[in-house]
Amino acid sequence: MSYRSQLILAFGQTNMARRPQKNPRKIASQKRSRATVDALLEATARILIKDGYDRASTNKIAAVAGVSIGSLYQYFPSKEALVAAVAERHTQELLQVGRDTLLEAAAKPIAVAAREIVRAGVDAHRVDPRLHRVLAEEIPHTGHLAGINSVERHSFEHFRAYLGAHRDEIDVGDLDLAAFILVTALEALTHSLVLRRPDFLTDDKVEAFIDEVTRLVLRYLAPAPRRRASQRRAKR
Amino acid sequence: MSYRSQLILAFGQTNMARRPQKNPRKIASQKRSRATVDALLEATARILIKDGYDRASTNKIAAVAGVSIGSLYQYFPSKEALVAAVAERHTQELLQVGRDTLLEAAAKPIAVAAREIVRAGVDAHRVDPRLHRVLAEEIPHTGHLAGINSVERHSFEHFRAYLGAHRDEIDVGDLDLAAFILVTALEALTHSLVLRRPDFLTDDKVEAFIDEVTRLVLRYLAPAPRRRASQRRAKR
Amino acid sequence: MSYRSQLILAFGQTNMARRPQKNPRKIASQKRSRATVDALLEATARILIKDGYDRASTNKIAAVAGVSIGSLYQYFPSKEALVAAVAERHTQELLQVGRDTLLEAAAKPIAVAAREIVRAGVDAHRVDPRLHRVLAEEIPHTGHLAGINSVERHSFEHFRAYLGAHRDEIDVGDLDLAAFILVTALEALTHSLVLRRPDFLTDDKVEAFIDEVTRLVLRYLAPAPRRRASQRRAKR
Amino acid sequence: MSYRSQLILAFGQTNMARRPQKNPRKIASQKRSRATVDALLEATARILIKDGYDRASTNKIAAVAGVSIGSLYQYFPSKEALVAAVAERHTQELLQVGRDTLLEAAAKPIAVAAREIVRAGVDAHRVDPRLHRVLAEEIPHTGHLAGINSVERHSFEHFRAYLGAHRDEIDVGDLDLAAFILVTALEALTHSLVLRRPDFLTDDKVEAFIDEVTRLVLRYLAPAPRRRASQRRAKR
DNA sequence: AATGAATGAGTCTTCATTCAT
DNA sequence: AATGAATGAAGACTCATTCAT
């Protein structure tokens, strides 16, 4: 079963709103289902954070969710699927945080866009850092859990497109390579900021961090006429 | 936990240090011990790579190492300790690859040192990438396994020291922040290069990658008189 | 347990018999009920064949029958009862195939009747061999499922009666024993023919099989005057 | 893992006796293993009889065997394998009972051999009838349990060989067919005798049964010159 | 009467660890 | 020291059955 169909199964039909609700019972039970699924996702996230992936047992998750183990398996065919759903939900939340910023940034010049993007990255990682850590660092990437790194892939595509569109403002040889470098560095930096340097999370320190990372990005992309000029001068 | 303390823990404060080895049998058995420990570490690494952390059982490890499960527990008090020892060993190997480079680089100007350091980072990650991946992405960070990220901490210290020593060549406000940014970015970039973009691993592509990352580093650190100049002009 | 008592059990002594069906809605719903029950029996048989008894879950059966699990339990109080009903239905079908033959055979001399009975046995086992196999070989014989071997009991009674009625044509000491032997052998032979020797199921091979089994029966029952005669002659 | 290797694993090396026992510990532990395996097989058989296949859980089996569940899985990789081993053991016991009889019978004329074979069949089925019933009637024949009906296959081969060797004494067209018929009937008759007609199990009744089945066999196989003669006469 | 969400006892199985030999 | 048999807590998962709607 694909992850997508899994989700559909888990969340029930998403077109609820479209069809006229002739059967109130159906709606009631759908609400019930939805509540169960939400409780399970919440419980999973909480336990993942508290105990790590290995010690997060489905029985414990069900208990914390206040749901029977049978219900858990009614909605998620395996522990993996459950964790994958949590990951997906988290991913969606992350993306949501940055989405508008990225869309708006697309039209702005790099000097402006860069700072906004960096800030969006930091904000996104602050959504649920501890969950993010578990998801990023402790999950075996096999089976259902294989395709979880979608955020980076998405970001990569966005970045490459952006760089392509702003080619005249920047100095980049290989678009692919540049996008890879920027996305990887940005992701790692915001990730590590939040997870490894909580001491950097005061408001002013965060601003300094954003300044610096923005500088990293802009200087990397900047065309370097003046530099050459100075070098020429230096050679004289 | 360091490898040394690990071993001490494993051997339970043995008499190694206390008495001079007058007894050749002791030497023989120490050799044997060492062989057993090596076999166990090797087997663990192999199985970690092949099956992932979750499916790496101590029984299987012992079997692959050609050692009884009892002996495994004679040398390592728990699975965690065993994996931690593997991680430590891997870390040492990584560091060894980069050590000389870093030491030599310490005396060179940044423009030269940067490239060498980047190259060293790439080389280090090519040591045993699949083990590196498992260690980095699948290991629960609790208990004995909590303190595994020592590489980054080491590197961080080195970098900060280096930046401090070359302060006149560069334009950096907060040394701490700059070191954090560079180390984090470098680690992530070399890691992702090796693990996520095997298509970038041909010789010429690697060179291009090193060029780019070097540029990232150098431009980030470069004093930017001309920029300020232009900005000043802009402000007028 | 007979199918009738089964149904009564299933319907919980419904009012079927009590009041005449004046109400057309009742008829409609009875039809619907009957359809539901049939769908369930069909689904059970299919799944029993496909998955075996162990893996035939009531939920799956209900799903395949296109009926809610709740409805399944409205008609059958347990999985056992459902399987018992399937067994009973199968049994009735088997018996139906042989019934006329047996009734007609009752009036015929053994030499004729035997062949017809054997053929009827083969035909009966060809009704739904795979269901027959599951029912015969995989069903736990406890609880509701205890009394499933009714076919053999029926056949046994028929046979004994027949042998009793034709006593003058045959040479049998203990009627009970002879009936037991014949019924057991016949059942096993036709069963095994269909289930274990599909290679014997071509038309001509089946005829040969019927010839042989008929011979087995007739010779077993035959009075042996000529034999004795020859023996007497031999003794002179 | 094949069933054979399974057994070897379960019973340890069978060549124990051949090698000089240098290591007394090994032998001790082998005795221990053997005892564990035996206890497990015994417990399985008992529970199979008492509760049937479905309700025989591995935990219960281990408990009854006085062995930890872990040990059970050390020797048998699955419930199926355990049951298969019980079946195999039972089969071997059955075969052992009849083996000598069959070997000796091979040299005797049919009239003598038949009775001995029938008696051997009855004796064999009296070994552990209730276990035999469960094994024969309740076990899903899939996976490891697929190849359990080996007794009948063995018997079939023996019979065909015997019939072939004694061709001059008997009147048989198709050896294959005749062997199939005899083996199937014999197996079913002795099986049913023991399991369905305990009332036939008094000494004299068993003798009567043996007489009758012997008659069934002998008459089936007997050349029938006189019959044909009488038939010829009848046709005139 | 029908639905299907919910239940939870119970299943098979794994595996880190202990300990008698 | 080494061995490997034994342990048993704990885990993922199934499924017959109930019951609110």
Side-chain angles (χ1 to χ4, degrees):
Chain A
M1 188 186 298
S2 78
Y3 180 69
R4 184 169 291 269
S5 65
Q6 175 51 44
L7 265 196
I8 287 168
L9 193 156
F11 289 105
Q13 295 145 290
T14 42
N15 46 9
M16 269 193 290
R18 263 180 255 163
R19 298 202 217 168
Q21 307 100 320
K22 283 191 180 173
N23 196 336
R25 238 186 281 161
K26 199 125 219 168
I27 285 180
S29 73
Q30 279 187 4
K31 257 187 202 158
R32 218 163 139 211
S33 292
R34 178 79 215 191
T36 301
V37 167
D38 281 349
L40 285 167
L41 294 176
E42 258 320 293
T44 304
R46 277 223 295 281
I47 292 181
L48 239 25
I49 290 168
K50 190 157 71 83
D51 301 340
Y53 179 79
D54 263 38
R55 289 181 173 148
S57 81
T58 51
N59 285 293
K60 208 192 287 177
I61 289 171
V64 168
V67 148
S68 78
I69 182 67
S71 291
L72 187 155
Y73 279 92
Q74 192 129 47
Y75 293 105
F76 300 96
S78 70
K79 183 186 175 182
E80 273 194 332
L82 181 51
V83 172
V86 167
E88 180 63 21
R89 196 178 69 156
H90 178 65
T91 294
Q92 291 309 325
E93 283 172 12
L94 285 206
L95 291 180
Q96 189 133 343
V97 168
R99 189 163 296 159
D100 296 341
T101 306
L102 287 177
L103 289 179
E104 290 168 21
K108 300 179 183 174
I110 282 191
V112 178
R115 167 165 259 102
E116 290 178 2
I117 288 170
V118 172
R119 185 182 304 280
V122 173
D123 289 346
H125 276 87
R126 290 176 105 170
V127 167
D128 195 342
R130 289 178 309 167
L131 178 60
H132 197 75
R133 196 194 61 68
V134 178
L135 257 17
E137 298 179 7
E138 259 180 53
I139 306 276
H141 293 257
T142 50
H144 278 231
L145 266 20
I148 274 188
N149 289 66
S150 50
V151 185
E152 289 199 38
R153 243 166 320 186
H154 275 138
S155 309
F156 175 73
E157 301 300 341
H158 276 147
F159 262 69
R160 196 171 45 183
Y162 182 88
L163 295 181
H166 293 252
R167 218 160 189 170
D168 51 334
E169 296 174 58
I170 63 183
D171 174 23
V172 161
D174 183 339
L175 270 192
D176 234 48
L177 184 52
F180 169 70
I181 285 176
L182 286 176
V183 167
T184 303
L186 258 182
E187 155 61 23
L189 285 166
T190 48
H191 182 98
S192 290
L193 169 72
V194 171
L195 289 169
R196 299 214 212 288
R197 299 298 300 248
D199 58 315
F200 279 170
L201 283 183
T202 57
D203 277 357
D204 55 334
K205 293 232 174 174
V206 167
E207 288 309 313
F209 174 84
I210 292 174
D211 282 351
E212 283 295 285
V213 177
T214 303
R215 182 169 107 157
L216 181 77
V217 172
L218 288 180
R219 288 196 165 188
Y220 171 62
L221 292 173
R226 264 155 294 278
R227 233 195 208 183
R228 273 177 221 134
S230 71
Q231 283 168 354
R232 264 176 236 135
R233 247 175 272 145
K235 283 178 184 171
R236 283 177 201 162
Chain B
M1 185 185 304
S2 76
Y3 185 60
R4 183 170 294 269
S5 62
Q6 176 54 45
L7 264 194
I8 288 167
L9 195 157
F11 285 105
Q13 286 267 38
T14 46
N15 40 20
M16 271 193 294
R18 264 181 254 161
R19 28 171 167 162
Q21 308 99 316
K22 288 186 177 174
N23 195 336
R25 234 186 292 162
K26 206 87 223 176
I27 289 178
S29 77
Q30 277 186 7
K31 257 188 203 162
R32 218 166 133 207
S33 289
R34 182 73 224 181
T36 301
V37 167
D38 280 350
L40 284 168
L41 293 177
E42 254 323 289
T44 304
R46 277 224 295 279
I47 292 183
L48 239 26
I49 289 168
K50 191 157 72 84
D51 301 340
Y53 179 79
D54 264 36
R55 289 182 173 148
S57 81
T58 50
N59 284 293
K60 207 191 288 178
I61 289 170
V64 168
V67 152
S68 77
I69 182 66
S71 293
L72 185 155
Y73 279 90
Q74 199 115 36
Y75 292 105
F76 298 94
S78 70
K79 183 185 175 183
E80 273 193 331
L82 182 50
V83 172
V86 168
E88 183 61 23
R89 193 178 70 157
H90 178 64
T91 293
Q92 291 307 325
E93 282 173 12
L94 286 206
L95 291 180
Q96 189 136 342
V97 169
R99 188 162 296 158
D100 296 342
T101 306
L102 288 176
L103 290 178
E104 290 168 20
K108 300 179 182 172
I110 283 191
V112 178
R115 165 166 261 101
E116 289 179 1
I117 289 171
V118 171
R119 186 182 303 280
V122 172
D123 289 346
H125 277 86
R126 289 177 108 170
V127 166
D128 196 343
R130 289 179 311 169
L131 178 60
H132 197 74
R133 198 196 58 71
V134 177
L135 257 19
E137 299 178 5
E138 258 180 53
I139 305 277
H141 294 256
T142 51
H144 280 224
L145 266 18
I148 274 188
N149 290 68
S150 51
V151 186
E152 289 199 36
R153 242 164 321 180
H154 275 137
S155 309
F156 175 74
E157 302 300 340
H158 276 147
F159 262 69
R160 197 171 44 185
Y162 182 87
L163 294 182
H166 293 254
R167 214 157 192 172
D168 52 334
E169 294 176 59
I170 62 182
D171 173 23
V172 161
D174 183 339
L175 268 192
D176 234 47
L177 184 52
F180 169 69
I181 285 175
L182 287 176
V183 168
T184 304
L186 259 181
E187 155 61 23
L189 284 166
T190 47
H191 182 97
S192 290
L193 169 72
V194 171
L195 289 170
R196 298 213 212 289
R197 298 298 300 247
D199 57 316
F200 280 170
L201 285 181
T202 57
D203 278 356
D204 52 335
K205 292 229 173 177
V206 168
E207 289 308 315
F209 174 85
I210 291 175
D211 282 350
E212 283 293 287
V213 178
T214 304
R215 181 169 107 157
L216 182 76
V217 171
L218 288 179
R219 287 195 166 190
Y220 172 63
L221 292 174
R226 265 146 299 279
R227 227 197 210 186
R228 274 181 218 131
S230 70
Q231 281 167 355
R232 264 178 237 136
R233 247 174 272 144
K235 281 178 185 173
R236 279 177 203 163
Chain C
M1 186 184 303
S2 77
Y3 186 62
R4 183 169 294 267
S5 63
Q6 178 53 46
L7 265 195
I8 287 167
L9 197 157
F11 285 105
Q13 284 266 36
T14 45
N15 38 20
M16 271 193 293
R18 263 183 254 157
R19 29 171 164 160
Q21 308 97 318
K22 287 187 179 173
N23 195 334
R25 234 184 293 160
K26 206 88 221 174
I27 289 180
S29 77
Q30 277 186 8
K31 260 188 201 160
R32 217 165 134 210
S33 290
R34 184 72 224 183
T36 302
V37 167
D38 281 350
L40 284 168
L41 293 177
E42 256 322 291
T44 305
R46 278 223 295 278
I47 292 182
L48 238 26
I49 290 169
K50 190 158 72 83
D51 301 340
Y53 179 79
D54 265 36
R55 287 180 175 153
S57 80
T58 50
N59 285 293
K60 207 193 287 176
I61 289 170
V64 168
V67 152
S68 78
I69 182 68
S71 294
L72 185 155
Y73 279 89
Q74 199 117 36
Y75 292 106
F76 299 95
S78 71
K79 183 185 176 184
E80 274 194 330
L82 181 51
V83 172
V86 167
E88 183 61 23
R89 193 178 72 156
H90 178 66
T91 293
Q92 292 306 325
E93 282 172 13
L94 286 206
L95 291 180
Q96 189 135 342
V97 169
R99 190 162 295 158
D100 297 342
T101 306
L102 288 176
L103 289 179
E104 290 168 21
K108 299 180 183 173
I110 284 193
V112 178
R115 166 165 260 102
E116 290 178 1
I117 290 170
V118 171
R119 185 182 305 278
V122 172
D123 289 346
H125 276 87
R126 291 177 105 169
V127 166
D128 196 344
R130 289 180 310 170
L131 178 60
H132 197 74
R133 196 195 61 70
V134 178
L135 259 17
E137 298 178 7
E138 254 180 59
I139 305 279
H141 294 256
T142 51
H144 281 226
L145 266 19
I148 272 189
N149 290 67
S150 51
V151 186
E152 289 200 36
R153 243 167 321 186
H154 276 136
S155 309
F156 175 72
E157 302 300 342
H158 276 146
F159 262 69
R160 196 171 46 184
Y162 182 88
L163 295 182
H166 294 252
R167 211 154 196 172
D168 52 334
E169 295 175 59
I170 62 182
D171 174 22
V172 160
D174 183 338
L175 270 191
D176 236 49
L177 183 52
F180 170 69
I181 285 175
L182 287 176
V183 166
T184 303
L186 260 181
E187 155 61 24
L189 285 166
T190 48
H191 181 98
S192 290
L193 169 72
V194 170
L195 289 170
R196 301 216 208 287
R197 298 298 302 245
D199 57 315
F200 280 170
L201 284 183
T202 58
D203 277 356
D204 53 335
K205 292 232 176 175
V206 168
E207 290 307 315
F209 174 84
I210 291 174
D211 282 351
E212 283 293 287
V213 177
T214 303
R215 182 169 108 158
L216 181 78
V217 171
L218 288 181
R219 288 195 166 190
Y220 171 63
L221 292 173
R226 265 152 294 278
R227 236 196 204 186
R228 271 176 223 135
S230 70
Q231 281 167 353
R232 262 175 239 137
R233 249 174 272 144
K235 282 177 184 172
R236 280 177 205 163
Chain D
M1 189 186 298
S2 77
Y3 181 70
R4 185 167 292 268
S5 64
Q6 175 52 42
L7 264 195
I8 288 165
L9 192 156
F11 289 104
Q13 295 145 286
T14 43
N15 46 8
M16 270 191 291
R18 263 180 254 161
R19 300 200 215 169
Q21 306 100 321
K22 282 188 178 172
N23 196 338
R25 237 187 281 162
K26 198 126 221 168
I27 285 181
S29 74
Q30 278 185 8
K31 257 189 203 160
R32 216 164 139 213
S33 291
R34 178 80 215 193
T36 301
V37 167
D38 280 350
L40 284 168
L41 294 176
E42 259 319 293
T44 304
R46 279 224 293 281
I47 291 182
L48 240 25
I49 289 168
K50 190 158 72 82
D51 300 340
Y53 179 79
D54 262 38
R55 290 181 172 147
S57 80
T58 50
N59 285 294
K60 208 191 289 177
I61 289 171
V64 167
V67 149
S68 79
I69 183 65
S71 292
L72 186 155
Y73 279 92
Q74 193 128 46
Y75 293 105
F76 300 96
S78 70
K79 183 186 173 183
E80 274 194 331
L82 182 51
V83 172
V86 168
E88 180 63 21
R89 195 179 69 157
H90 177 66
T91 294
Q92 291 308 324
E93 283 173 12
L94 286 205
L95 291 180
Q96 189 134 343
V97 168
R99 190 163 295 159
D100 296 342
T101 306
L102 288 177
L103 289 179
E104 290 169 19
K108 300 180 183 174
I110 283 192
V112 178
R115 165 164 261 104
E116 289 179 0
I117 288 170
V118 172
R119 186 182 304 279
V122 172
D123 288 346
H125 277 86
R126 289 177 106 171
V127 166
D128 197 341
R130 289 178 310 169
L131 178 60
H132 196 74
R133 197 194 60 69
V134 178
L135 257 19
E137 299 178 7
E138 262 181 51
I139 305 275
H141 293 258
T142 50
H144 278 230
L145 266 19
I148 275 188
N149 289 66
S150 49
V151 186
E152 288 199 38
R153 242 165 319 182
H154 275 138
S155 308
F156 175 73
E157 301 299 341
H158 276 148
F159 261 69
R160 198 171 45 183
Y162 181 88
L163 295 181
H166 293 253
R167 213 154 194 176
D168 52 334
E169 294 175 60
I170 62 181
D171 174 22
V172 160
D174 184 339
L175 269 191
D176 234 49
L177 184 53
F180 169 68
I181 285 174
L182 286 176
V183 167
T184 303
L186 258 182
E187 155 61 24
L189 285 166
T190 49
H191 182 99
S192 290
L193 169 72
V194 171
L195 289 170
R196 298 214 212 288
R197 299 299 300 249
D199 58 315
F200 280 169
L201 284 182
T202 57
D203 277 357
D204 53 335
K205 292 231 175 175
V206 167
E207 289 308 315
F209 174 85
I210 292 174
D211 282 351
E212 283 293 286
V213 177
T214 305
R215 184 170 105 158
L216 181 77
V217 171
L218 288 180
R219 287 196 166 189
Y220 172 64
L221 292 174
R226 264 149 298 280
R227 229 198 207 183
R228 273 178 221 134
S230 69
Q231 282 169 352
R232 265 177 235 135
R233 248 174 272 143
K235 282 180 183 173
R236 281 176 204 163

